[in-house]
Amino acid sequence: MLRKILLNSSKTFAYATRSYSTAAQLKTKEKYDLYAGVLIERLPIITKKLNELETEVLEMLKKIEFENSLKSDHELRKEKDIRQAELIKSGKLDKDSETEAVSLQTAQDFEDASNEELAKFLTAPRITEDDKKNNLKSLNRKLDDALMLLVDEKIGNDSRLLLPQGKWLEGETLRQTAERIVREKFGTDLKVQFYGSAPVGFYKFKYTSSQNESVGGKVFFFRAIYKSGNIPDSKLKYEWLSGEELKGKVRDSYYKSVESFCTF
Amino acid sequence: MLRFSTQIISKNFLSNVESCIINNNIKRFYASLYNPPYLELMKKKHPTYDVINVKMTGYDFTVLESYHKFVHKIAKSLDLEIEESWAHPPKKTKIIRYKPNSTNIEAEYSLTAYERYIQLADVESPIYPVFLRFIQAAIPEGIKLSVVHHTDLTEESRYVPDKELLDLKAQLEAAGGPLKTRK
């Protein structure tokens, strides 16, 4: 009886050990293959364009800030120069004695020179050439969006555009599988930074044609950021797509599993 | 009552598995008898990063400060322990552009690079990449984000050296050092 009390107390502590039971029948479990998938993102390079409301609000806030602000050094100098010039013009001030303030470059001159320099400065275009050509293989498009790498994976007889994935092999961790996939598919030139060893997403699929004993596969996705390097121009069909483009090119069921970590 | 029970239970009475379960349960009972339960519950369930510094640098002061506020808010909402949140003295640089083939100054620019730090303690390893991706998604223009370990150098560069004090000390050294005997 004492033995029963102490053994039963293990249930209240929610212990992990399983009791051996020879009488129970083991349920036939479906076997799934384990895959590791990688989301390689190229982070956005420029910030997004402000919409109408945002630009209006920004303009208004700028005006309010300007009205509430005090005069800057440059503005004070400009006013002082104007006053001095007027005094010299009207003859009230001796030109030679007050030369310490009349520097080689007046405030107005400085302002003009600065404006000229600004006009000469060319900003890089927001919409690049690759944007216009819609070159999906290039990284130089959609600079304000995060681009994700998708490859043509062979599934059964047909090939589909998916996040790169590969089968897990014995003796390695899932993260090591993910790193191996990146090396194998894209070569050693592509440098990525993996974000942690914990997967960020999950997708389950069933094989159309039965292979060995497994019914299907379960993919665990890992997050990685593109650092540098190029994908060698091989027969590999890949695309760098943004969130909205991804939605259109991938199956609904796949998108459902993937959108939680893909779209930011 | 429990002490009596441990005496009567011997290895011959129970199997190995069962005696293991009982011993562990007794230990747990003793552990929670004299210690409050929150000590166990407050322990993190995943391995943690000890102390990490989120460093933000930029030339635009207002944008940097608002981003600093944002990172603080995100860390708070993810229940991360924010140890400290501070600013470093700004680094001033002067860029002088000369006219070609002369030393006449064409243009002079003075820039100040501001730095802000947020120190987080005991960040759980699965949470950290989520936090990092989150703050990276919202970086404004001109801000450089980096996550570093806390070093002695970081702590030292936080303070502006007292020029007067250093000058006086140098004068003292030049004069022959401090008095060795008491007056």
Side-chain angles (χ1 to χ4, degrees):
Chain A
M1 204 209 82
L2 190 63
R3 175 213 241 181
K4 253 194 214 166
I5 293 168
L6 286 166
L7 279 175
N8 282 335
S9 64
S10 71
K11 288 183 197 161
T12 58
F13 281 92
Y15 227 73
T17 55
R18 228 188 260 161
S19 58
Y20 294 103
S21 169
T22 49
Q25 281 177 332
L26 291 164
K27 200 169 108 178
T28 45
K29 278 190 170 176
E30 295 180 317
K31 192 166 182 286
Y32 280 91
D33 281 332
L34 192 61
Y35 289 81
V38 190
L39 165 71
I40 304 175
E41 274 184 294
R42 187 274 272 142
L43 291 177
I45 294 171
I46 54 178
T47 49
K48 284 205 180 282
K49 207 172 156 188
L50 302 174
N51 61 27
E52 249 184 61
L53 178 70
E54 285 171 340
T55 42
E56 274 182 43
V57 170
L58 184 65
E59 285 303 315
M60 183 46 104
L61 289 174
K62 275 186 183 171
K63 276 188 198 161
I64 294 169
E65 196 194 322
F66 181 74
E67 293 301 327
N68 285 333
S69 66
L70 300 169
K71 289 191 184 146
S72 69
D73 281 342
H74 170 75
E75 284 187 310
L76 292 171
R77 198 160 77 104
K78 199 167 154 187
E79 286 185 351
K80 192 175 169 197
D81 284 346
I82 292 169
R83 268 186 275 125
Q84 278 198 335
E86 280 182 0
L87 289 171
I88 290 167
K89 211 168 151 188
S90 62
K92 282 185 189 165
L93 213 64
D94 193 7
K95 201 172 179 180
D96 296 317
S97 69
E98 292 289 325
T99 43
E100 44 91 8
V102 181
S103 54
L104 293 154
Q105 188 194 49
T106 58
Q108 189 59 47
D109 286 339
F110 173 71
E111 202 177 307
D112 291 336
S114 307
N115 279 329
E116 243 186 77
E117 200 183 328
L118 181 67
K120 274 194 227 160
F121 182 79
L122 290 166
T123 53
R126 285 185 73 99
I127 301 172
T128 59
E129 267 187 53
D130 286 325
D131 260 322
K132 292 179 198 156
K133 282 190 243 165
N134 211 23
N135 179 10
L136 295 175
K137 284 201 174 188
S138 125
L139 272 173
N140 210 21
R141 63 183 272 276
K142 288 228 168 181
L143 299 175
D144 60 350
D145 246 327
L147 292 180
M148 289 165 272
L149 183 57
L150 283 112
V151 281
D152 246 2
E153 292 268 350
K154 219 176 83 167
I155 297 196
N157 290 327
D158 50 38
S159 60
R160 249 177 262 163
L161 205 67
L162 304 167
L163 293 173
Q165 67 191 38
K167 211 167 183 175
W168 169 79
L169 300 170
E170 287 278 338
E172 61 176 6
T173 62
L174 266 179
R175 158 114 183 224
Q176 281 170 352
T177 315
E179 288 170 348
R180 178 177 57 86
I181 293 162
V182 171
R183 267 199 314 269
E184 284 176 0
K185 287 195 198 253
F186 309 115
T188 48
D189 193 28
L190 192 77
K191 299 276 183 286
V192 292
Q193 169 68 49
F194 273 87
Y195 269 39
S197 311
V200 284
F202 165 74
Y203 177 64
K204 188 167 96 174
F205 64 92
K206 292 216 162 147
Y207 292 138
T208 44
S209 53
S210 57
Q211 300 175 12
N212 350 306
E213 340 147 302
S214 5
V215 176
K218 292 185 178 177
V219 197
F220 287 90
F221 295 102
F222 288 85
R223 188 189 292 280
I225 298 273
Y226 165 82
K227 280 207 297 199
S228 63
N230 287 311
I231 299 168
D233 255 338
S234 58
K235 280 186 251 172
L236 180 75
K237 275 198 253 178
Y238 64 91
E239 284 177 10
W240 287 97
L241 301 174
S242 71
E244 307 105 29
E245 293 171 341
L246 179 86
K247 191 168 184 183
K249 292 211 169 181
V250 136
R251 289 201 173 182
D252 277 344
S253 58
Y254 191 75
Y255 185 71
K256 247 196 216 172
S257 315
V258 145
E259 72 175 314
S260 61
F261 61 89
C262 262
T263 50
F264 239 106
Chain B
M1 192 254 156
L2 265 160
R3 268 211 202 110
F4 175 74
S5 60
T6 47
Q7 279 171 17
I8 61 164
I9 293 167
S10 63
K11 254 198 175 171
N12 303 325
F13 195 65
L14 301 165
S15 72
N16 268 340
V17 172
E18 288 166 340
S19 65
C20 212
I21 295 171
I22 291 166
N23 279 333
N24 273 327
N25 286 338
I26 292 167
K27 277 187 211 160
R28 275 195 175 214
F29 183 82
Y30 274 130
S32 61
L33 188 65
Y34 298 106
N35 289 328
Y38 63 75
L39 281 181
E40 268 293 323
L41 297 171
M42 268 182 75
K43 281 191 196 166
K44 303 277 178 181
K45 296 181 185 78
H46 305 282
T48 60
Y49 291 98
D50 238 355
V51 158
I52 53 170
N53 288 344
V54 177
K55 176 180 172 186
M56 298 154 270
T57 56
Y59 291 100
D60 194 351
F61 178 70
T62 47
V63 176
L64 179 67
E65 289 219 306
S66 89
Y67 184 61
H68 183 216
K69 218 160 108 180
F70 172 80
V71 174
H72 195 282
K73 221 191 254 185
I74 295 298
K76 212 167 163 194
S77 78
L78 284 171
D79 280 330
L80 303 175
E81 262 178 67
I82 301 162
E83 284 275 310
E84 266 190 276
S85 164
W86 75 94
H88 264 40
K91 293 197 171 81
K92 298 203 167 119
T93 44
K94 206 185 225 182
I95 304 168
I96 304 173
R97 203 174 59 210
Y98 296 102
K99 293 206 177 109
N101 297 322
S102 69
T103 49
N104 294 336
I105 297 170
E106 196 184 321
E108 206 177 290
Y109 309 94
S110 55
L111 304 164
T112 46
Y114 303 96
E115 279 177 38
R116 294 283 181 278
Y117 281 79
I118 288 183
Q119 192 172 83
L120 304 166
D122 285 337
V123 182
E124 291 186 327
S125 47
I127 308 278
Y128 170 66
V130 174
F131 169 70
L132 185 63
R133 185 67 187 88
F134 211 155
I135 53 178
Q136 275 190 310
I139 291 189
E141 313 100 328
I143 307 285
K144 235 183 266 178
L145 178 78
S146 63
V147 181
V148 291
H149 285 293
H150 194 77
T151 56
D152 282 336
L153 200 69
T154 321
E155 196 59 46
E156 264 181 51
S157 60
R158 196 173 161 179
Y159 303 103
V160 182
D162 193 354
K163 195 164 183 293
E164 267 183 46
L165 183 66
L166 290 173
D167 280 343
L168 285 171
K169 278 190 178 171
Q171 266 183 23
L172 184 63
E173 286 296 315
L179 273 178
K180 298 275 168 41
T181 56
R182 273 173 152 223
K183 269 198 179 161

